[in-house]
Amino acid sequence: MATQKYNKLAGKHVLIIGGTSGIGYAVAEGSIDGHACDLSTPNPEADIEALFEKTGKVDHVVFTAGDGLAQMKVEDITLEKIVKAGQIRFFAPLLVAKVATKYLNPGPGSSIVFTTGAVADKPIANWSVVASYAAGLHGMTRNLALDLKPIRVNLVSPGAIDTELWKGFSEDQKKAFFKEISDKLPTGKIGRPEDVAETYLWLMKDTNVTGFVASSNGGDLLV
């Protein structure tokens, strides 16, 4: 009886955009069902619409899609690089929310959960482009929580998590970077996708939470 009471995702249709690896894949494992979508095409809205047409009505949409981290010095920033960095990280989530309103079951039992990053709260040198979009997602989430009510909209802000998004680093660079971070963290470790997946699952299940930014960062903002 207790298992049924708290297994709130049982029988729910969860659409995960970006669920082929990393955090999205871990969420898919925890929420039974998931789908992936390529958002790098010239017309992502049409592809998003096609995905929803294929999946039909859903209860939750989880957006974990990402691409290589657009680190660059200020003098190397161009409009083209800014736009490219934002297609998957910022423009696509907003388009997903637009399309999702036609397919999400009505009421607070349904939700959209986006993904940002701790750089929105704690600056890192040469991450100005990424940080701009990461911080923008905070405002997007809160405003969509009003625009789409009673459907809930929330945001997960992971810290350093060992996923494929670090593929731009060599293995030695990644190890050194992760060691530098983990040595400072109160938890003493880099997060794993399965750790952060619990945050998404909570936000889907708790029908009393909307417009909220949930951090899973090992205490990074404390140090």
Side-chain angles (χ1 to χ4, degrees):
M1 183 67 70
T3 300
Q4 289 181 330
K5 179 178 179 181
Y6 291 105
N7 190 12
K8 295 181 179 180
L9 293 180
K12 300 295 184 181
H13 190 183
V14 181
L15 173 60
I16 300 176
I17 300 176
T20 56
S21 61
I23 294 172
Y25 184 79
V27 176
E29 288 187 310
S31 59
I32 303 172
D33 193 14
H35 300 271
C37 179
D38 181 7
L39 300 169
S40 61
T41 61
N43 188 5
E45 184 173 355
D47 293 329
I48 293 166
E49 186 77 53
L51 175 65
F52 275 97
E53 287 176 355
K54 182 171 63 176
T55 59
K57 285 290 187 179
V58 296
D59 297 290
H60 302 280
V61 177
V62 175
F63 189 98
T64 64
D67 53 6
L69 297 168
Q71 302 173 72
M72 64 190 81
K73 295 180 179 179
V74 172
E75 57 264 33
D76 295 329
I77 294 174
T78 64
L79 179 59
E80 181 181 3
K81 290 178 180 178
I82 294 171
V83 172
K84 181 179 179 181
Q87 175 156 340
I88 292 178
R89 297 182 178 281
F90 190 82
F91 308 141
L94 192 53
L95 292 172
V96 165
K98 173 188 174 182
V99 176
T101 57
K102 297 182 287 185
Y103 296 90
L104 278 163
N105 290 316
S110 294
S111 73
I112 300 173
V113 186
F114 294 130
T115 306
T116 184
V119 70
D121 297 300
K122 189 173 184 179
I124 302 174
N126 300 325
W127 284 48
S128 290
V129 174
V130 177
S132 298
Y133 286 124
L137 280 159
H138 287 230
M140 181 195 295
T141 297
R142 294 187 182 106
N143 221 84
L144 285 173
L146 290 179
D147 289 342
L148 304 186
K149 64 181 183 182
I151 292 169
R152 298 177 297 109
V153 184
N154 292 296
L155 182 66
V156 175
S157 180
I161 308 297
D162 191 1
T163 72
E164 75 289 345
L165 290 182
W166 301 96
K167 61 186 177 183
F169 285 56
S170 70
E171 192 60 32
D172 288 342
Q173 286 176 320
K174 189 175 84 167
K175 285 182 179 179
F177 184 64
F178 279 2
K179 184 179 187 307
E180 180 183 354
I181 293 175
S182 60
D183 285 348
K184 297 177 182 178
L185 291 176
T187 59
K189 72 179 187 70
I190 295 296
R192 301 169 301 171
E194 54 266 37
D195 297 327
V196 186
E198 296 294 331
T199 310
Y200 293 85
L201 298 174
W202 161 55
L203 290 173
M204 283 189 279
K205 291 188 285 187
D206 190 339
T207 60
N208 202 42
V209 179
T210 192
F212 186 70
V213 181
S215 296
S216 177
N217 55 34
D220 182 45
L221 301 183
L222 302 176
V223 295

